[in-house]
Amino acid sequence: NEGNEYFKEKDYGRAVAAYSEGLRRRCGDAELDAVLLTNRGAAHFHLGNYRSALNDAIQAKKLKPTHLKAIIRGALCHMELKNFSEAVAWCEEGLQIDSKEKKLVEMRAKADKLKLEGTFLGAKTGFSTHCQGGAVLGTDLLCERNIKLVLEPSDEEEEVSDGLAEISLDGFHRDSATGAKVHLDADGNLNWPVLFLYPEHEQTDFTVAFHENSRFIDHLMVMFAELPPWDVEKKYLPNNLELYFEDEEREEMYEVDPEHTLLQVLQHKRYFVKAGTPTVLVFAKRSPFSKKYFSGKKVHRL
């Protein structure tokens, strides 16, 4: 009930925490747990944490295979993650339960179309520079923040910008690698789509609108309010995580302070935004996997 109240108030972070607390009580009622998981997945979805939302939908469906809301949520997550074949499969599973469910009928048709068009295969990605109302952001917004972009290769090699002032953003594709786009809010702040990568488990999380002045630790507290199902060793806790970004050109790793804001990280002299989507790698502290991953690379620690 507390989670539902927060959800109505659009306080999705607290809603996630409340639903997680309900799940921690282990009531033994599979139907109630399925509802808690589905509701938490909906809150994660609104926060842009599509991978976490999908994991909750999967777990809810295991507990209650006929739970239509979980199936709809899972299909929506697959759509956002550009997994169109999986979205079709989830829609068909739901339509076997209710053949007239309008959301599933419409979503299946859309997913089928996108799958056939092959928009998720080999499509070039780019940086979308649109603000509210459709106006185009000027490069001055990025230049004054000292944010550096990597342009997608046209025919030959990649172009890397040091200053952005000399780079024209005309002709960039509207969608980033994730389909979301950076946008300017009413207060003049940038909100970015951010991709979290977990190399050890080959998992990802995607936040659709990471406010440039938000800290990484605040997002981690929400994303890992409940252990993800793939973390069987229970080591992915908010305070047991290390964040890095990779300088692929130099084969160097830079540790990110979780207390830092997104903007502080983007302003790092060796951080380059690729395909319009900032990316951060997440590891469990002192894990054997991270030591192996860092092998042969220079690591700049805090």
Side-chain angles (χ1 to χ4, degrees), residues 45 50 54 72-88 90-91 103 106-115 120 178-179:
F45 187 90
Y50 300 128
L54 178 58
I72 292 171
R73 183 63 56 194
L76 284 167
C77 290
H78 279 304
M79 290 293 288
E80 293 293 338
L81 293 166
K82 310 299 180 190
N83 303 329
F84 301 122
S85 294
E86 289 85 349
V88 169
W90 277 64
C91 288
K103 288 181 183 177
E106 292 176 353
M107 206 185 325
R108 183 179 63 178
K110 184 177 179 182
D112 264 329
K113 182 173 180 288
L114 291 170
K115 185 176 70 167
F120 66 114
T178 51

Side-chain angles (χ1 to χ4, degrees), residues 158-230:
E158 282 187 341
E159 300 176 55
V160 180
S161 158
D162 287 326
L164 287 195
E166 74 280 12
I167 284 188
S168 168
L169 297 181
D170 292 341
F172 267 41
H173 294 265
R174 290 181 61 87
D175 292 333
S176 71
T178 51
K181 49 186 179 284
V182 61
H183 66 275
L184 190 68
D185 64 23
D187 298 320
N189 297 304
L190 292 178
N191 291 263
W192 293 81
V194 176
L195 193 62
F196 293 85
L197 305 179
Y198 311 102
E200 182 174 2
H201 297 279
E202 298 182 350
Q203 297 286 334
T204 63
D205 264 321
F206 175 53
T207 300
V208 72
F210 194 132
H211 191 287
E212 63 181 349
N213 293 322
S214 291
R215 302 179 307 164
F216 277 89
I217 187 62
D218 296 327
H219 280 264
L220 293 175
M221 293 297 287
V222 171
M223 291 159 60
F224 291 95
E226 182 83 1
L227 287 171
W230 43 263

Side-chain angles (χ1 to χ4, degrees), residues 3-301:
N4 289 347
E5 287 300 317
Y6 285 131
F7 194 96
K8 288 175 186 174
E9 295 166 7
K10 298 185 179 180
D11 191 343
Y12 301 117
R14 285 182 177 167
V16 166
Y19 294 134
S20 297
E21 182 60 31
L23 287 162
R24 271 193 286 271
R25 298 300 172 95
R26 302 187 184 280
C27 67
D29 183 335
E31 188 154 340
L32 178 55
D33 280 345
V35 171
L36 285 165
L37 284 162
T38 303
N39 289 1
R40 187 176 68 179
H44 270 308
F45 187 90
H46 283 285
L47 288 166
N49 301 331
Y50 300 128
R51 182 64 61 180
S52 295
L54 178 58
N55 286 336
D56 279 345
I58 290 169
Q59 294 304 312
K61 189 157 69 81
K62 284 181 181 177
L63 289 173
K64 189 181 178 186
T66 59
H67 194 31
L68 210 54
K69 284 187 177 180
I71 293 171
I72 292 171
R73 183 63 56 194
L76 284 167
C77 290
H78 279 304
M79 290 293 288
E80 293 293 338
L81 293 166
K82 310 299 180 190
N83 303 329
F84 301 122
S85 294
E86 289 85 349
V88 169
W90 277 64
C91 288
E92 288 179 349
E93 189 175 346
L95 289 169
Q96 287 178 5
I97 299 166
D98 183 353
S99 61
K100 295 180 181 179
E101 171 53 55
K102 186 179 177 183
K103 288 181 183 177
L104 291 174
V105 171
E106 292 176 353
M107 206 185 325
R108 183 179 63 178
K110 184 177 179 182
D112 264 329
K113 182 173 180 288
L114 291 170
K115 185 176 70 167
L116 290 171
E117 286 175 355
T119 54
F120 66 114
L121 288 176
K124 280 190 175 182
T125 56
F127 183 77
S128 176
T129 52
H130 293 261
C131 61
Q132 289 179 349
V136 178
L137 298 177
T139 55
D140 56 329
L141 283 172
L142 302 176
C143 195
E144 71 187 21
R145 288 166 166 80
N146 194 28
I147 297 174
K148 299 166 286 298
L149 300 182
V150 172
L151 294 179
E152 287 296 302
S154 48
D155 292 318
E156 298 173 3
E157 30 181 271
E158 282 187 341
E159 300 176 55
V160 180
S161 158
D162 287 326
L164 287 195
E166 74 280 12
I167 284 188
S168 168
L169 297 181
D170 292 341
F172 267 41
H173 294 265
R174 290 181 61 87
D175 292 333
S176 71
T178 51
K181 49 186 179 284
V182 61
H183 66 275
L184 190 68
D185 64 23
D187 298 320
N189 297 304
L190 292 178
N191 291 263
W192 293 81
V194 176
L195 193 62
F196 293 85
L197 305 179
Y198 311 102
E200 182 174 2
H201 297 279
E202 298 182 350
Q203 297 286 334
T204 63
D205 264 321
F206 175 53
T207 300
V208 72
F210 194 132
H211 191 287
E212 63 181 349
N213 293 322
S214 291
R215 302 179 307 164
F216 277 89
I217 187 62
D218 296 327
H219 280 264
L220 293 175
M221 293 297 287
V222 171
M223 291 159 60
F224 291 95
E226 182 83 1
L227 287 171
W230 43 263
D231 181 21
V232 293
E233 296 179 31
K234 300 182 179 180
K235 58 186 180 182
Y236 279 72
L237 303 168
N239 294 321
N240 191 46
L241 299 176
E242 291 180 342
L243 309 180
Y244 293 85
F245 69 84
E246 190 165 6
D247 184 340
E248 294 176 6
E249 181 186 340
R250 297 184 179 180
E251 292 191 342
E252 297 179 357
M253 303 286 295
Y254 288 84
E255 188 174 2
V256 173
D257 187 343
E259 298 289 336
H260 279 181
T261 64
L262 174 60
L263 181 57
Q264 286 176 294
V265 174
L266 296 184
Q267 289 174 333
H268 190 282
K269 62 182 180 181
R270 292 304 304 170
Y271 197 98
F272 299 93
V273 178
K274 294 185 178 181
T277 306
T279 302
V280 176
L281 292 91
V282 185
F283 301 89
K285 287 182 180 177
R286 297 175 293 279
S287 71
F289 178 87
S290 63
K291 289 179 183 177
K292 184 178 178 181
Y293 190 92
F294 298 152
S295 177
K297 297 175 183 174
K298 185 175 180 181
V299 181
H300 300 268
R301 298 192 180 274

